[in-house]
Amino acid sequence: MSELTYPWHTSYWQHLIAYVAQQRIPQALLIESVAGLGKQQLALHFAQYLTCLDKQENSYCGHCASCKLFVAGTHPDFIQIQPAEPGKSIGVDVIRQLMVKLVLKPQYSAYRVIIITPAEQMNINSANAFLKCLEEPPERTVFLLLTECSQSLSATIRSRCQKMLVQPPDRDTAVLWLQEHGVADRRTAIVLLRLTQGAPIKALNYAKENILEQRSDC
């Protein structure tokens, strides 16, 4: 496995792989952060780690049949659920289709992983249907719910999830990362981070979109 995509994920990654080492993998994990901290990438890394058939101490192997299928996007034990269009809700039919698939056992000997993102986009009906999955958890199945606002999820779903809050990195780490990715001026990097609640990925996107120049013009 290559190094984690973002340096501020290191402590969270260690926490995640500790779940596996201690055999205390949560049935459902709610990962929350502001936009621009890469929680999607962190969840995908963990999903591949869980499905890997030849795990190393701190990483997935990258060469087993499971890893190859995961990278190809064809792993039968990995499902990602998201709105059909940005801003749309996740409908109840999608969750019902998921429930049908979960009746079957995982095809490989490791874990089956379901990512739901953004989890708060489940409407009332789909959230109620998903709650049944949590109340009667399938065999060797882990749910990863990604959100920017956990309070928008029902309290019953939140209560059945372990929680991981991904915080923005310290300013020096964030500035260094931005400088390594083309934002050379430190003052510019700091202003971008202030505009994005300290989220480096979002700050980099703002830099590419010349948001500061647009802001200055306004």
Side-chain angles (χ1 to χ4, degrees), residues 82-89:
Q82 55 192 16
E85 298 177 21
K88 299 288 186 179
S89 64

Side-chain angles (χ1 to χ4, degrees), residues 28 30 119-120 122-124 127-128 130-131 134-135 145 149-163:
L30 180 62
E120 69 270 20
M122 286 189 287
N123 59 32
I124 294 175
N128 287 336
F130 177 67
L131 188 58
L134 297 182
E135 291 172 342
L145 283 69
C149 183
S150 62
Q151 294 304 311
S152 297
L153 282 166
S154 70
T156 47
I157 288 179
R158 295 200 310 269
S159 68
R160 285 169 170 79
C161 298
Q162 290 196 35
K163 300 170 184 65

Side-chain angles (χ1 to χ4, degrees), residues 92-214:
V92 66
D93 289 343
V94 176
I95 301 300
R96 286 173 178 163
Q97 291 169 14
L98 171 65
M99 293 172 71
V100 170
K101 295 177 181 178
L102 296 182
V103 171
L104 303 174
K105 292 183 177 181
Q107 293 191 34
Y108 283 80
S109 60
Y111 288 87
R112 173 169 51 197
V113 184
I114 317 298
I115 291 180
I116 301 179
T117 180
E120 69 270 20
Q121 292 299 106
M122 286 189 287
N123 59 32
I124 294 175
N125 291 331
S126 55
N128 287 336
F130 177 67
L131 188 58
K132 294 179 182 178
C133 297
L134 297 182
E135 291 172 342
E136 301 174 9
E139 178 184 344
R140 288 186 286 118
T141 298
V142 177
F143 296 99
L144 303 177
L145 283 69
L146 312 186
T147 182
E148 293 178 20
C149 183
S150 62
Q151 294 304 311
S152 297
L153 282 166
S154 70
T156 47
I157 288 179
R158 295 200 310 269
S159 68
R160 285 169 170 79
C161 298
Q162 290 196 35
K163 300 170 184 65
M164 173 177 283
L165 178 61
V166 179
Q167 300 275 19
D170 64 82
R171 191 175 73 173
D172 287 343
T173 298
V175 168
L176 178 60
W177 185 84
L178 286 171
Q179 289 176 329
E180 290 173 345
H181 288 79
V183 184
D185 184 70
R186 180 178 176 84
R187 291 184 181 179
T188 299
I190 291 172
V191 173
L192 288 167
L193 290 168
R194 286 175 181 166
L195 292 176
T196 58
Q197 297 178 278
I201 302 169
K202 190 173 182 179
L204 181 60
N205 289 335
Y206 274 15
K208 292 177 180 177
E209 295 167 5
N210 296 318
I211 292 296
L212 290 187
E213 291 183 15
Q214 296 176 36

Side-chain angles (χ1 to χ4, degrees), residues 10-25:
T10 301
S11 62
Y12 302 104
W13 180 251
Q14 293 301 323
H15 192 75
L16 290 171
I17 61 176
Y19 282 137
V20 180
Q22 298 165 9
Q23 298 184 345
R24 297 178 60 184
I25 301 171

Side-chain angles (χ1 to χ4, degrees), residues 20-40:
V20 180
Q22 298 165 9
Q23 298 184 345
R24 297 178 60 184
I25 301 171
Q27 166 201 331
L29 179 64
L30 180 62
I31 303 177
E32 181 176 9
S33 78
V34 299
L37 291 179
K39 59 183 173 291
Q40 173 85 10

Side-chain angles (χ1 to χ4, degrees), residues 15-92:
H15 192 75
L16 290 171
I17 61 176
Y19 282 137
V20 180
Q22 298 165 9
Q23 298 184 345
R24 297 178 60 184
I25 301 171
Q27 166 201 331
L29 179 64
L30 180 62
I31 303 177
E32 181 176 9
S33 78
V34 299
L37 291 179
K39 59 183 173 291
Q40 173 85 10
Q41 288 83 351
L42 182 63
L44 287 171
H45 273 294
F46 190 46
Q48 186 168 353
Y49 184 72
L50 287 172
T51 56
C52 178
L53 302 174
D54 189 21
K55 295 178 183 62
Q56 311 304 307
E57 182 177 356
N58 294 310
S59 66
Y60 47 79
C61 71
H63 56 69
C64 69
S66 184
C67 281
K68 290 178 180 178
L69 287 171
F70 192 95
V71 172
T74 56
H75 200 298
D77 294 334
F78 173 66
I79 300 171
Q80 182 161 283
I81 292 175
Q82 55 192 16
E85 298 177 21
K88 299 288 186 179
S89 64
I90 297 172
V92 66

